[in-house]
């Protein structure tokens, strides 16, 4: 069976340790979490966790079943098997030098990157997109000298429930 | 009515109909023990917290109810971990209450503080740290509910000292918890598939596991087998779920399974697996396990399905209701096996049974451990609840003692915890004071929780210990003999206490048998006494458990031991 990245959406009761339970249940059974995003939903009582893990369908099914054993887990959905949208967000700090300034400004203009802080010596960009879009942006940014970067885990939403 | 946390705990135990707890006091649970002093709730003071958990576990396995223990924080709590992991692997419902330092000190490395919810997260079904008195009553109620519903398991509740001392209005009528009950979904399509598979099967076989005992589905399973003449094999945890004296019972399968059970699994064309999880000790090499069969698997826990063995028809549901549905469907659709074909299959199995029966050699000079177990069955007529330690003693009991009823064979299957048998027997005897309760032990295992003899003595908990004493860690020694060219590295336990004197020192009775003719009189004498008794049977030192499937082998490839064993 084909190994690929699966995006798993987990609805949980927002109880103490719930993230530790999920990380522990998967880590303890030898499954890896590649990316993770956690926050409360419209209710503070319920949180949504979006994680990605790489494996064939049988492995991913085992991961889902392990997650469902956790008492605080309400629902588990593999968004890879349904139509869904995915986004990541990066914050990137670039140092402005005499050499780079013009190049960076041109790129911002070309790619419509969002500048959220603009100082004399550096700028900070906020870029969102799906994984290929973020990877594309990073490939362009790297030669310009990234001083610091933060990349979120994937968030995802199914088009139809 | 305003009550203290410690009073609410005892009130909740009363509401949960808890009649006994196993525990050990300490600093952070002083408030609770102070309430126990005034309470009618029965408390058994063990000698080590591991013993408390095994005792509660034995009580739970024998009664089907939730076992309860209470220990202090720090080392009291960490000492429960092996017991909790034991219960978790075998899905035994427990609620373990641990003391905790006051909430204001948590995280300060306070005296006897430890993060017990963190430590036990991977080996409990769920656990709780009660952070304030408002959530105490509901947490206790939910803990019991979680422990006993769905696939059961141990739940730990960590109780900070200040929460036990705080006061709040207590009204049991207002307690609300989440419902964790699994809803039974009938699966008529799957039942039709089972019907189809059975109709085409010439060599069907049922494999029963611990889920049948936990799910109280023994009578349904027995009906399925007897009505349609389907032979039954079982995992270690499934022993007792089908009558061990029924001709359709093939005994245990797997590493130390009978020749005929393993041959039947290897040759069957339909395997109906109920409440099992296909442990590696059961399957041998996965590729060759039931290679000729379609497999139906019934389990309440989806994570047990397709975990080790990929099955053809998974049915997720409680074993009892699923088997009831199956029986109903088969009856309504007039399922009848083709008698002639079934006869051939049963004859083939009878042939294997005749070819390699479960047996051992006796020379009349030394006591053979199997003979002790057979004699125990003879003198008790099987009317006994047996616990075991772990190792050869456990395997011989599984092989040579026919269990006719569920909840009468109490053993640590998944985790394989040495030192389990004695405290578990104490727990069982507390549940059934009028029943004969026997711990079949080895000399290695019994020493791991030997301190519990003091508990048995203090309360005159009349358990009997049948010690199969070979002066070795026998099962490890057996592996060394068979797979490590007889290099007996650190398995000789000849240096051991005089168990008869040790028993006497604890204030119980010690008996010894060294010759085969002493087996029966020793057992009769020991079982008749109204006191705990340790019977030290000096058995053949190098007896091995056979059949044996070597590591990395198919279960059809068994070592059968010495030549004379066959016939």
């Amino acid at each position: 069976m084909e190994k690929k990245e699966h995006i798993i959406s987990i609805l949980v009761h927002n109880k103490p340790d719930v993230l530790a339970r999920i990380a522990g249940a998967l880590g303890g059974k030898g499954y890896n979490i590649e990316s993770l995003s956690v926050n409360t939903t419209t209710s503070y009582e319920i949180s949504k966790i979006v994680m990605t893990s790489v494996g064939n369908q049988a492995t991913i099914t085992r991961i889902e079943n392990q997650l469902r054993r956790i008492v605080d887990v309400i629902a588990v959905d593999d968004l890879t098997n349904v139509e869904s949208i995915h986004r990541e967000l990066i914050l990137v700090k670039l140092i402005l030098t005499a050499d780079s300034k013009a190049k960076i400004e041109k790129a911002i203009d070309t790619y419509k990157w969002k500048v959220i802080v603009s100082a004399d010596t550096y700028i900070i960009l906020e870029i969102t997109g799906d994984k290929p879009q973020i990877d594309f942006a990073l490939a362009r940014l790297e030669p310009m000298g990234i001083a610091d970067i933060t990349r979120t885990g994937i968030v995802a939403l199914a088009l139809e429930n | 009515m305003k009550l203290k946390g410690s009073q609410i705990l005892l009130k909740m135990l009363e509401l949960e109909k808890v009649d006994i707890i196993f525990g050990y006091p300490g600093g952070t649970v002083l408030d609770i023990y102070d309430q126990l002093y005034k309470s009618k709730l029965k408390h058994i003071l063990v000698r080590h917290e591991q013993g408390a958990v095994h005792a509660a576990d034995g009580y739970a396995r024998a009664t089907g109810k939730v076992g309860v223990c209470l220990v202090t924080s720090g080392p009291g709590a960490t000492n429960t971990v092996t017991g909790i992991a034991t219960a978790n692997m075998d899905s035994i419902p427990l609620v373990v209450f641990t003391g905790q330092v006051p909430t204001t000190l948590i995280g300060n490395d306070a005296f006897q503080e430890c993060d017990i919810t963190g430590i036990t997260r991977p080996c409990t079904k769920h656990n709780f740290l009660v952070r304030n008195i408002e959530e105490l009553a509901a947490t206790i109620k939910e803990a019991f509910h979680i422990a006993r519903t769905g696939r059961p398991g141990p739940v730990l509740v960590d109780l900070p000292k200040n929460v036990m001392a705080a006061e709040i209005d207590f009204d049991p009528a207002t307690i609300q918890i989440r419902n964790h009950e699994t809803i039974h979904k009938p699966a008529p399509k799957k039942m039709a598939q089972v019907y189809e598979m059975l109709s085409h099967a010439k060599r069907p076989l049922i494999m029963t596991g611990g889920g049948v005992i936990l799910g109280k589905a023994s009578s349904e399973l027995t009906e399925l087998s007897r009505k349609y003449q389907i032979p039954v094999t079982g995992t270690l945890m499934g022993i007792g779920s089908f009558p061990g004296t029924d001709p359709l019972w093939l005994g245990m399968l797997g590493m130390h399974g009978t020749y005929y059970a393993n041959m039947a699994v290897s040759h069957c064309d339909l395997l109906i697996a109920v409440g099992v999880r296909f442990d590696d000790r059961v399957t041998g090499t996965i590729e060759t396990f039931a290679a000729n069969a379609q497999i139906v698997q019934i389990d309440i826990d989806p994570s047990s399905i397709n975990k080790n063995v990929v099955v053809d028809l998974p049915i997720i549901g409680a074993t009892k209701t699923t088997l009831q549905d199956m029986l109903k469907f088969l009856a309504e659709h007039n399922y009848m096996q083709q008698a002639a074909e079934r006869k051939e299959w049963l004859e083939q199995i009878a042939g294997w049974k005749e070819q390699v029966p479960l047996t051992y050699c006796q020379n009349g000079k030394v006591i053979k451990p199997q003979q002790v177990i057979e004699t125990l069955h003879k003198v008790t007529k099987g009317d006994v609840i047996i616990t075991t330690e772990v190792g050869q003693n456990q395997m011989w009991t599984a092989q040579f003692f026919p269990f006719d009823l569920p909840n009468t064979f109490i053993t640590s299957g998944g985790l394989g915890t040495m030192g389990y048998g004695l405290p578990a027997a104490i727990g069982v005897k507390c549940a059934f004071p009028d029943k004969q309760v026997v711990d079949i032990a080895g000399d290695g295992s019994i020493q791991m929780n030997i301190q519990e003899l003091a508990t048995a003595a203090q309360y005159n908990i009349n358990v009997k210990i049948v010690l199969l004493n070979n002066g070795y860690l026998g099962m490890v020694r057996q592996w060394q003999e068979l797979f490590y060219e007889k290099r007996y590295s650190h398995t000789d336990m000849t240096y051991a206490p005089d168990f008869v004197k040790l028993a006497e020192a604890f204030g119980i009775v010690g008996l010894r048998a060294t010759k085969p003719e002493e087996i029966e009189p020793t057992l009769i004498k020991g079982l008749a006494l109204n006191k705990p008794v340790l019977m030290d049977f000096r058995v053949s030192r190098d007896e091995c458990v056979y059949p044996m499937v070597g590591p990395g082998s198919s279960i059809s490839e068994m070592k059968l031991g010495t030549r004379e064993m066959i016939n």
Side-chain angles (χ1 to χ4, degrees):
Chain A
M1 271 186 287
E2 188 204 354
K3 262 194 178 183
K4 64 171 186 178
E5 188 179 71
H6 286 248
I7 300 172
I8 301 168
S9 171
I10 315 161
L11 218 51
V12 299
H13 290 281
N14 184 17
K15 295 278 179 186
D17 297 355
V18 67
L19 186 59
R21 287 181 205 283
I22 285 170
L26 299 187
K29 304 265 178 198
Y31 304 117
N32 199 21
I33 299 172
E34 304 281 338
S35 135
L36 186 69
S37 149
V38 191
N39 218 327
T40 52
T41 57
T42 48
S43 159
Y44 181 75
E45 309 290 311
I46 310 279
S47 286
K48 188 183 257 187
I49 297 174
V50 179
M51 58 165 268
T52 63
S53 203
V54 175
N56 61 30
Q57 189 54 53
T59 304
I60 299 298
T61 303
R62 284 191 203 112
I63 288 176
E64 289 179 54
N65 284 335
Q66 285 304 328
L67 291 169
R68 290 193 182 101
R69 287 185 73 184
I70 299 167
V71 166
D72 286 329
V73 168
I74 302 163
V76 180
D77 288 300
D78 183 354
L79 299 183
T80 316
N81 297 335
V82 297
E83 249 193 298
S84 57
I85 48 158
H86 317 144
R87 288 291 179 271
E88 292 174 48
L89 181 148
I90 50 171
L91 297 176
V92 196
K93 183 175 179 185
L94 300 169
I95 304 295
L96 300 175
T97 61
D99 275 356
S100 70
K101 197 167 180 210
K103 245 190 274 174
I104 289 169
E105 277 165 0
K106 188 161 179 259
I108 290 169
D109 196 44
T110 310
Y111 302 116
K112 310 269 181 279
W113 287 334
K114 186 172 169 189
V115 179
I116 52 171
V117 176
S118 182
D120 289 346
T121 54
Y122 66 90
I123 56 166
I124 296 177
L125 306 176
E126 176 196 308
I127 303 171
T128 60
D130 60 16
K131 201 180 176 67
Q133 287 168 328
I134 298 292
D135 289 342
F136 175 90
L138 282 175
R140 304 296 171 287
L141 287 162
E142 254 160 47
M144 300 174 194
I146 297 173
D148 202 0
I149 181 164
T150 297
R151 182 172 182 167
T152 66
I154 293 176
V155 291
L157 206 61
L159 296 194
E160 284 170 43
N161 282 12
Chain B
M1 182 179 40
K2 269 212 186 315
L3 289 184
K4 285 183 182 171
S6 52
Q7 291 171 312
I8 291 173
L9 170 62
L10 295 198
K11 279 273 176 213
M12 291 307 297
L13 294 182
E14 199 183 312
L15 289 171
E16 294 293 335
K17 300 187 176 61
V18 174
D19 51 16
I20 190 164
I21 63 173
F22 302 89
Y24 203 103
T28 55
V29 288
L30 274 164
D31 293 270
I32 304 169
Y33 272 86
D34 193 45
Q35 293 302 330
L36 277 171
Y37 190 74
K38 310 164 204 164
S39 164
K40 287 201 181 92
L41 178 63
K42 196 167 171 193
H43 175 277
I44 301 292
L45 173 66
V46 295
R47 295 303 188 268
H48 186 290
E49 290 88 351
Q50 186 187 344
V53 188
H54 290 328
D57 172 313
Y59 173 94
R61 291 185 204 231
T63 59
K65 295 196 277 186
V66 179
V68 183
C69 29
L70 169 63
V71 302
T72 193
S73 62
T78 55
N79 277 345
T80 65
V81 172
T82 302
I84 293 171
T86 303
N88 193 51
M89 283 288 265
D90 292 342
S91 305
I92 305 305
L94 297 182
V95 175
V96 177
F97 293 102
T98 50
Q100 182 56 280
V101 300
T103 48
T104 48
L105 288 181
I106 289 178
N108 282 15
D109 296 335
F111 177 66
Q112 293 194 332
E113 179 191 354
C114 89
D115 173 15
I116 196 62
T117 49
I119 288 171
T120 58
R121 216 177 278 133
C123 65
T124 49
K125 185 174 173 189
H126 195 61
N127 60 25
F128 296 96
L129 166 62
V130 182
R131 284 157 201 273
N132 55 62
I133 191 155
E134 286 79 13
E135 60 191 43
L136 177 64
T139 302
I140 296 168
K141 187 170 178 177
E142 192 167 2
F144 278 89
H145 179 67
I146 291 170
R148 65 165 82 91
T149 49
R151 178 180 178 169
V155 179
L156 182 139
V157 183
D158 203 16
L159 302 167
K161 193 171 196 284
N162 57 327
V163 174
M164 290 297 96
E167 282 190 338
I168 196 171
D169 272 324
F170 176 70
D171 177 8
T174 60
I175 303 168
Q176 285 194 331
I177 61 164
R178 272 192 270 152
N179 185 20
H180 301 275
E181 206 84 57
T182 40
I183 303 147
H184 175 58
K185 291 186 205 127
K189 273 192 195 152
K190 298 219 166 176
M191 294 305 144
Q193 273 175 278
V194 175
Y195 175 88
E196 273 302 304
M197 287 163 122
L198 265 174
S199 301
H200 291 107
K202 292 191 165 58
R203 298 181 304 279
L205 180 68
I206 295 171
M207 175 178 168
T208 180
V212 174
I213 294 173
L214 291 164
K216 301 183 174 64
S218 292
S219 60
E220 287 80 3
L221 186 113
T222 305
E223 189 185 336
L224 180 70
S225 160
R226 285 181 176 163
K227 193 165 173 188
Y228 300 115
Q229 290 296 295
I230 308 169
V232 184
T233 181
T235 65
L236 182 69
M237 299 312 296
I239 287 177
S241 63
F242 184 82
T245 50
D246 191 298
L248 286 165
W249 174 248
L250 308 183
M252 183 169 70
L253 80 163
M255 183 171 276
H256 292 297
T258 63
Y259 177 76
Y260 33 101
N262 284 342
M263 291 305 273
V265 175
S266 302
H267 288 80
C268 68
D269 61 0
L270 174 63
L271 185 67
I272 302 176
V274 191
V276 305
R277 57 182 177 85
F278 297 109
D279 182 275
D280 55 277
R281 285 293 192 268
V282 159
T283 60
T285 49
I286 293 280
E287 299 73 31
T288 55
F289 179 77
N292 302 304
Q294 285 197 297
I295 304 177
V296 177
Q297 188 185 359
I298 301 169
D299 206 280
I300 198 164
D301 181 358
S303 77
S304 289
I305 290 182
N306 289 336
K307 184 177 68 177
N308 301 328
V309 170
V310 177
V311 302
D312 301 280
L313 179 63
I315 306 177
I316 295 160
T319 48
K320 192 179 184 75
T321 40
T322 307
L323 287 174
Q324 281 170 348
D325 289 353
M326 195 180 286
L327 285 166
K328 197 160 162 249
F329 193 96
L330 294 176
E332 281 172 3
H333 294 77
N334 298 314
Y335 168 70
M336 281 309 291
Q337 80 278 18
Q338 284 111 326
E341 283 171 0
R342 193 73 99 243
K343 192 165 162 262
E344 217 172 272
W345 173 226
L346 293 175
E347 274 170 8
Q348 191 177 7
I349 291 172
W352 287 321
K353 214 172 205 171
E354 206 179 321
Q355 202 187 336
V356 187
L358 193 60
T359 187
Y360 58 96
C361 313
Q362 278 167 283
N363 60 16
K365 292 186 191 110
V366 291
I367 297 178
K368 286 299 179 87
Q370 301 95 327
Q371 195 187 351
V372 178
I373 293 166
E374 286 183 334
T375 312
L376 178 65
H377 185 257
K378 184 181 147 202
V379 303
T380 58
K381 299 183 183 65
D383 185 17
V384 60
I385 302 178
I386 297 218
T387 70
T388 73
E389 303 290 339
V390 165
Q392 290 182 315
N393 60 81
Q394 179 186 33
M395 290 299 115
W396 283 319
T397 307
Q399 291 180 331
F400 288 93
F401 197 104
F403 291 89
D404 278 331
L405 294 170
N407 312 95
T408 58
F409 175 56
I410 314 275
T411 198
S412 166
L415 198 68
T417 306
M418 290 172 72
Y420 172 81
L422 172 58
I426 290 172
V428 175
K429 187 72 183 178
C430 288
F432 296 106
D434 300 329
K435 269 264 176 203
Q436 191 72 259
V437 178
V438 177
D439 170 30
I440 296 180
D443 52 302
S445 282
I446 193 77
Q447 292 185 67
M448 282 212 184
N449 271 320
I450 193 79
Q451 77 286 346
E452 298 309 327
L453 287 179
T455 309
Q458 179 182 343
Y459 299 95
N460 195 28
I461 299 167
N462 181 5
V463 294
K464 312 298 181 191
I465 297 146
V466 169
L467 178 60
L468 306 173
N469 184 352
N470 62 6
Y472 273 121
L473 296 175
M475 187 57 93
V476 184
R477 194 211 65 89
Q478 172 169 343
W479 280 63
Q480 290 170 336
E481 177 184 329
L482 298 174
F483 309 112
Y484 292 85
E485 294 161 336
K486 303 192 177 184
R487 290 185 299 274
Y488 298 126
S489 179
H490 302 279
T491 44
D492 190 325
M493 279 239 176
T494 325
Y495 190 89
D498 177 326
F499 285 102
V500 171
K501 283 188 186 160
L502 187 73
E504 286 163 0
F506 273 108
I508 71 164
V509 178
L511 302 173
R512 178 168 292 130
T514 54
K515 298 189 201 86
E517 60 270 25
E518 292 169 358
I519 298 174
E520 193 165 326
T522 306
L523 283 171
I524 290 172
K525 187 179 174 193
L527 293 173
L529 289 169
N530 187 27
K531 282 192 94 174
V533 181
L534 188 156
M535 291 164 259
D536 180 15
F537 292 91
R538 296 297 179 89
V539 300
S540 162
R541 291 207 69 200
D542 51 8
E543 190 73 9
C544 287
V545 181
Y546 289 114
M548 178 173 195
V549 176
S553 299
S554 162
I555 59 167
S556 62
E557 302 159 24
M558 287 162 269
K559 292 181 188 296
L560 298 171
T562 47
R563 269 272 156 224
E564 56 269 31
M565 272 191 62
I566 303 168
N567 300 321

